[in-house]
Amino acid sequence: MSHSSFYEPRSKVTVVGSGNWGSVAAKLIASNTVRLSSFDDEVRMWVFEEKLPSGEKLTDVINRTNENVKYLPGIKLGKNVVADPDVESAEGISLVKGMEVKKEGPCMISTLISKTLGINCSVLMGANIANEIALEKFSEATVGYSKNKEAAEKWVQLFGTPYFIVSAVQDVEGVEMCGTLKNIVAIAAGFVDGMEMGNNTKAAIMRIGLKEMIKFSKMLFPSVKDSTFFESCGVADLITTCLGGRNRKVADAYAKNQGKRSFDQLEAELLNGQKLQGVLTAKEVYEVLSDRGWVEQFPLFSTVHAISIGRLPPSAIVELGDSRSANKQVGNSTL
Amino acid sequence: MSHSSFYEPRSKVTVVGSGNWGSVAAKLIASNTVRLSSFDDEVRMWVFEEKLPSGEKLTDVINRTNENVKYLPGIKLGKNVVADPDVESAEGISLVKGMEVKKEGPCMISTLISKTLGINCSVLMGANIANEIALEKFSEATVGYSKNKEAAEKWVQLFGTPYFIVSAVQDVEGVEMCGTLKNIVAIAAGFVDGMEMGNNTKAAIMRIGLKEMIKFSKMLFPSVKDSTFFESCGVADLITTCLGGRNRKVADAYAKNQGKRSFDQLEAELLNGQKLQGVLTAKEVYEVLSDRGWVEQFPLFSTVHAISIGRLPPSAIVELGDSRSANKQVGNSTL
């Protein structure tokens, strides 16, 4: 929100980023600013300028057609959305899922934004497949905030629609960790799918993954709350990601090929060069676990990493039962 | 366990029931009694006697072939399983999923057993598709107990195997409620599938359902714990049931037919005359909600009921956002 004081009437909203999800966010928000008197109708969407094959600038086309023809074609954004290359802010919210997990702990995107811009930064996460929300299919999201409850309530007002239900929780770290760690669990779920072990096993693996997500988040940030994982950012996003999603898909293919083709090969074939978040996150999380002597407490996270680098076969994902030995195997190796 | 004193060495175990799931339970337990010194090797499986088309008695064939040829063909039960028509007990565990929910509250199966036989009764629930466990695919279960922790630990020892991980929680009501209420959520998930609304929406509906499961259980039994819903009986069983399962399947067909064919018709066609647990449970739960003035607090449960009796269209399941009016609609009708 780009006003010098957040609580002044008629705050102006700028969406920073204009990809698939950023454009949907602008559409959601624009439908609300026109009916909420505390916001200026106009929503600025910051667009990284590029030239289209036609020779026109992307911002010009968006402003002429009211569609992001490149990243969200066929969807009207709302006439009050204006593409713009400038940013200024006072109160921020990050919609970026995923963050770097370094040895010192995770590098939270919201913290980065907060420090870089010198502003408060909340996050919005949840079971959010941008294209489904663009088509106004029912779904939910969670706003995580740290201190400013009133700002969080404004975000809820701004994003919420009858088909997009938003709730706020005071747990920015918990909400943001969910968005990252779920990808490790999706890799595990993909292995189970690839081995055709059935829904029973898949549900068990998802549950164990959820428990490790909670435990890891709480060990890094003692303020993280269990209840956050019952929100959309927790269990619902986990389910969506383990049912569809590219992490699950590539891990499925990996297990079907019995590990004979590497993740790198499969990524290149199946994802048009996009990188798999889950494999990277598993590696980064493993480094934290290893560094802090926590490996044995996280058999699923550790095993996903060991499988993804070819140290263990995909079938190891369902041998967590004998977790002591499984952990040992991972713990003693030089992963 | 059929010994006069539970803590005597070499307790004898009897499995009461010999259907699909009962037979798998006998197989699991028999693999453990042979290696645990505190149990008699022999596991009695109480079989409701019937004559097979060959003219032989079912018990005779089970004891000759070591297979329950009628309800779990092709799976060896273990040589120490003996089919038997007699029962006697000292400490019990119920594997029955589902219970009657009456206006006075739910009639828990474990309570029934406890009162009828004058014994303690724990429950075992979880993401347990009997045939998948029979094939030794990895899965998990939860033992819910009320007071006797040592008995619970014995059940964990008895049922647990490297591919069937069992944990115990002191929350018999919570565990048993999970097994019933998940079927209402599966109906809702089936509606979403039938309308082809995507994984996003499905995950959101499952999450809202999970929250209502927790809330309803706690309102009926204040001792119920949030953490129980992170166990296999909670989130994992919910996932399995919403991915596969007959409640989901029939609700999917109902929505695909836009409610033009009744649940009764679809049940008859798709389930060979078996009854849909979820529709009955939704009705029973609605009666409790209505009786206690709780309808507005449970929009998903109420809406599933309203849809299943044709009062609302299947699309109403994703109109919980405007929950006040949705509830009103249900609350004011004479369902």
Side-chain angles (χ1 to χ4, degrees), chain A residues 144-164:
Chain A
Y145 66 99
S146 56
K147 284 178 200 133
N148 192 338
K149 194 180 175 189
E150 284 168 21
E153 280 163 5
K154 289 227 175 185
W155 294 122
V156 168
Q157 279 192 305
L158 263 180
F159 279 94
T161 72
Y163 63 89
F164 191 68

Side-chain angles (χ1 to χ4, degrees), chain B residues 16-81:
Chain B
V16 182
S18 53
N20 189 237
W21 186 211
S23 303
V24 175
K27 172 180 146 75
L28 288 167
I29 291 170
S31 75
N32 287 323
T33 53
V34 293
R35 59 171 195 82
L36 295 169
S37 58
S38 49
F39 295 96
D40 196 288
D41 286 1
E42 187 180 285
V43 174
R44 298 253 145 192
M45 178 168 74
W46 183 78
V47 175
F48 183 80
E49 192 65 282
E50 44 188 313
K51 264 204 176 157
L52 296 176
S54 65
E56 284 178 291
K57 285 182 180 171
L58 180 55
T59 49
D60 290 340
V61 178
I62 293 174
N63 287 331
R64 198 183 71 235
T65 63
N66 196 230
E67 287 184 25
N68 186 336
V69 292
K70 182 142 186 196
Y71 297 106
L72 193 65
I75 302 286
K76 293 290 175 196
L77 298 173
K79 286 186 179 159
N80 49 331
V81 174

Side-chain angles (χ1 to χ4, degrees), chain B residues 24-333:
Chain B
V24 175
K27 172 180 146 75
L28 288 167
I29 291 170
S31 75
N32 287 323
T33 53
V34 293
R35 59 171 195 82
L36 295 169
S37 58
S38 49
F39 295 96
D40 196 288
D41 286 1
E42 187 180 285
V43 174
R44 298 253 145 192
M45 178 168 74
W46 183 78
V47 175
F48 183 80
E49 192 65 282
E50 44 188 313
K51 264 204 176 157
L52 296 176
S54 65
E56 284 178 291
K57 285 182 180 171
L58 180 55
T59 49
D60 290 340
V61 178
I62 293 174
N63 287 331
R64 198 183 71 235
T65 63
N66 196 230
E67 287 184 25
N68 186 336
V69 292
K70 182 142 186 196
Y71 297 106
L72 193 65
I75 302 286
K76 293 290 175 196
L77 298 173
K79 286 186 179 159
N80 49 331
V81 174
V82 179
D84 186 334
D86 291 324
V87 202
E88 44 169 326
S89 358
E91 187 74 36
I93 190 162
S94 164
L95 276 60
V96 180
K97 289 189 183 180
M99 57 191 152
E100 275 183 88
V101 184
K102 298 177 180 170
K103 267 195 192 168
E104 325 64 276
C107 174
M108 317 284 280
I109 305 290
S110 59
T111 312
L112 259 183
I113 293 173
S114 207
K115 285 191 179 157
T116 310
L117 301 181
I119 57 170
N120 262 325
C121 189
S122 302
V123 296
L124 182 141
M125 305 273 149
N128 298 328
I129 298 167
N131 288 323
E132 292 187 8
I133 299 164
L135 296 171
E136 306 196 352
K137 292 186 174 179
F138 177 77
S139 92
E140 299 182 302
T142 313
V143 165
Y145 67 98
S146 56
K147 284 176 200 134
N148 193 337
K149 194 181 174 189
E150 285 169 20
E153 280 163 3
K154 289 227 176 185
W155 293 121
V156 168
Q157 279 193 304
L158 263 178
F159 278 95
T161 72
Y163 62 89
F164 191 68
I165 314 301
V166 183
S167 4
V169 297
Q170 188 173 14
D171 183 2
V172 67
E173 291 90 357
V175 174
E176 201 164 355
M177 291 297 281
C178 282
T180 296
L181 297 175
K182 64 163 194 193
N183 289 323
I184 306 180
V185 186
I187 298 275
F191 292 147
V192 173
D193 283 347
M195 292 184 292
E196 296 178 1
M197 302 205 67
N199 290 336
N200 233 7
T201 305
K202 188 169 176 180
I205 291 296
M206 288 167 68
R207 188 199 76 83
I208 295 170
L210 178 62
K211 292 277 276 194
E212 292 195 10
M213 286 169 63
I214 299 171
K215 192 172 175 183
F216 186 71
S217 302
K218 288 172 86 168
M219 283 169 81
L220 285 178
F221 302 99
S223 65
V224 166
K225 298 169 184 161
D226 277 355
S227 56
T228 297
F229 296 83
F230 284 133
E231 299 296 328
S232 177
C233 61
V235 66
D237 196 13
L238 179 68
I239 292 170
T240 303
T241 310
C242 290
L243 295 189
R246 56 189 137 123
N247 289 285
R248 191 216 63 80
K249 184 180 174 184
V250 178
D252 179 329
Y254 184 82
K256 280 211 173 71
N257 287 287
Q258 294 165 311
K260 281 174 196 145
R261 313 188 50 216
S262 73
F263 267 97
D264 284 340
Q265 285 177 299
L266 292 167
E267 274 170 356
E269 269 171 46
L270 298 171
L271 302 182
N272 282 319
Q274 277 187 293
K275 267 293 181 193
L276 263 197
Q277 199 78 43
V279 169
L280 292 176
T281 307
K283 181 174 178 293
E284 291 172 344
V285 165
Y286 183 80
E287 280 166 16
V288 176
L289 298 180
S290 180
D291 196 51
R292 306 195 178 194
W294 295 350
V295 169
E296 305 216 345
Q297 294 181 65
F298 294 89
L300 186 134
F301 285 176
S302 307
T303 303
V304 166
H305 174 58
I307 296 171
S308 69
I309 61 165
R311 175 82 55 182
L312 288 175
S315 60
I317 202 64
V318 292
E319 287 153 16
L320 306 175
D322 187 11
S323 64
R324 200 153 311 172
S325 75
N327 288 327
K328 224 172 191 168
Q329 224 174 323
V330 179
N332 287 347
S333 71

Side-chain angles (χ1 to χ4, degrees), chain A residues 16 26 49-50 53 72 83 141 152 313 332:
Chain A
V16 181
E49 191 65 282
E50 44 188 313
L72 193 67
N332 288 346

